[in-house]
């Protein structure tokens, strides 16, 4: 096998176990809607609970993998290729499902495989169009920088010009992120990072502080932006001002200014760069057309990156991100059609 492409993702590959559930289930496991957490001991029965008692869908997940799948799907009319790395269980059913799904979407996967843990899973509790995520990382937590030394990983890293990592990966292997990011800085390539969840900001602050200086593009939603503002003495500040402050924070590469992108659900997306802030309105979707918000943020990033890697403008990138998010929330989970009919 060999690879030649433009965009690489590195993250936590998880198989989503998704089901429509009543609020009693949400309350039973002590979680909130529109949140994402790492599973604790008390949450572990949820996976079998869903499988036994509800109609479940198995969907290839993991935030970074979702974004790369969407980007590749939107790049299908081009010759541009994407790749993804993460850790799955060796020769297990869930891992094989993940691989098949990513490959079907055209993503080149180079998974690290472990015998220590099974492939990670994520319970997706859907109620009224909102979702709550409970991730059991399992094998995903075993990724190490050793995998980056494999000849194929080196080929992928050397070939790509853009790298994307969701904040969830900061709980697993900051050293791996730094290794890829240092390569990007040395070779004037582009690093994209997502804060991913308020708990990443709140409990993995040192890891965020290590990763952020490498970010040429930083993505997050309003909850994550507010958490970041609170932690860094900007509580109560307008999010446009917060975006500006983050865009001006220290940066490793002097090749380009940092661009900060805050999504806000159905409200305008905020983009800050070089001392300027722009807002891009989101086309509203009728409530009855909304199926599931799971994966909306991942899809936005995928759409955005699909334009960015083609050298398109920020406006075009945001527009594509909005389109991709709108497409995904009208489907169950991050599932994609055979063809992408997006046009600029």
């Amino acid at each position: 096998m060999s690879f030649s492409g433009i965009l690489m993702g590195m993250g936590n590959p998880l198989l989503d176990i998704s089901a429509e559930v009543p609020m009693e289930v949400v309350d039973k496991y002590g979680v909130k809607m529109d949140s994402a957490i790492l599973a604790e001991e008390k949450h572990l029965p949820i996976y079998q609970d869903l499988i036994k008692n509800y109609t479940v869908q198995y969907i290839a997940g993991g935030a970074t993998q979702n974004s790369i799948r969407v980007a590749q799907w939107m790049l299908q009319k081009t010759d541009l290729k994407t790749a993804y790395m993460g850790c799955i269980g060796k020769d297990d059913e869930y891992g094989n499902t993940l691989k098949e799904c990513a490959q079907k979407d055209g993503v080149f996967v180079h998974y690290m495989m472990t015998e220590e843990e099974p492939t990670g899973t994520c319970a997706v509790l859907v109620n009224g169009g909102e979702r709550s995520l409970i991730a059991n990382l399992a094998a995903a937590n075993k990724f190490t920088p050793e995998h980056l030394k494999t000849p194929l990983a080196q080929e992928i890293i050397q070939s790509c010009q853009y790298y994307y990592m969701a904040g969830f990966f900061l709980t697993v292997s900051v050293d791996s992120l730094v290794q890829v990011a240092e390569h990007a800085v040395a070779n004037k390539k582009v690093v994209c990072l997502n804060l991913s969840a308020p708990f990443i900001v709140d409990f993995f602050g040192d890891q965020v502080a290590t990763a952020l200086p490498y970010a040429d593009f930083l993505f997050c939603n309003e909850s994550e932006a507010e958490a970041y503002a609170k932690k860094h003495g900007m509580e109560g500040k307008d999010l446009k001002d917060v975006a500006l402050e983050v865009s001006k924070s220290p940066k490793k590469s002097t090749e380009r200014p940092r661009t900060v992108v805050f999504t806000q659900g159905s409200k305008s997306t905020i983009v800050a760069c070089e001392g300027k802030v722009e807002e891009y309105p989101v086309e509203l979707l009728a409530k009855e057309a909304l199926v599931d918000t799971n994966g909306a943020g991942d899809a936005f990033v995928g759409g955005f990156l699909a334009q960015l890697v083609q050298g398109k403008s920020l406006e075009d990138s945001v527009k594509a991100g909005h389109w991709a998010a709108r497409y995904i929330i009208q489907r169950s989970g991050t599932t994609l059609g055979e063809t992408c009919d997006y046009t600029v």
Side-chain angles (χ1 to χ4, degrees), residues 136-159:
N136 181 22
L137 297 185
N141 212 23
K142 298 294 179 182
F143 192 92
T144 68
E146 282 301 305
H147 186 65
L148 301 178
K149 295 177 184 173
T150 61
L152 190 51
Q154 281 297 305
E155 200 171 318
I156 291 167
I157 293 165
Q158 297 293 334
S159 171

Side-chain angles (χ1 to χ4, degrees), residues 14-21 46-52 54-61 94 120-126 132-134 294:
L14 305 172
L15 188 69
D16 285 352
I17 301 173
S18 179
E20 285 266 356
V21 298
I46 183 79
Y47 307 97
Q48 283 307 311
D49 190 352
L50 293 182
I51 292 164
K52 282 181 186 170
Y54 299 92
T55 304
V56 301
Q57 272 187 299
Y58 296 97
I59 305 163
Y94 286 173
T121 48
C122 183
V124 182
L125 311 181
V126 182
S132 181
L133 308 180
I134 307 171
N294 184 31

Side-chain angles (χ1 to χ4, degrees), residues 11-30:
N12 303 338
L14 305 172
L15 188 69
D16 285 352
I17 301 173
S18 179
E20 285 266 356
V21 298
M23 278 306 291
E24 297 90 86
V25 176
V26 177
D27 297 337
K28 175 182 173 183
Y29 289 98

Side-chain angles (χ1 to χ4, degrees), residues 312-331:
K312 300 289 176 62
S313 68
L314 267 178
E315 185 175 358
D316 283 345
S317 300
V318 172
K319 187 177 165 190
H322 286 168
W323 182 89
R326 183 185 176 86
Y327 176 91
I328 286 298
I329 65 175
Q330 295 178 77
R331 300 171 74 86

Side-chain angles (χ1 to χ4, degrees), residues 88-97 117-120 139:
I88 61 173
K90 190 171 185 181
D91 298 325
D92 72 19
E93 188 186 343
Y94 286 173
N96 290 336
T97 302
E117 294 271 6
T119 295

Side-chain angles (χ1 to χ4, degrees), residues 52 66 87 104 107 155 163 214 222 255 260 276 278 308 320 334 344:
K52 282 181 186 170
N66 283 344
C87 188
K104 182 172 79 66
V107 177
E155 200 171 318
Y163 308 91
Y214 291 103
E222 72 275 33
E255 193 63 22
V260 174
K276 293 181 196 161
E278 297 280 348
L308 182 70
T334 307
V344 179

Side-chain angles (χ1 to χ4, degrees), residues 224-245:
E224 295 140 21
E226 284 162 7
Y228 188 89
K230 186 177 179 181
K231 194 172 179 77
H232 293 86
M234 295 183 276
E235 189 172 7
K237 258 195 169 186
D238 189 295
L239 287 186
K240 293 192 285 293
D241 295 327
V242 175
L244 266 180
E245 286 300 315

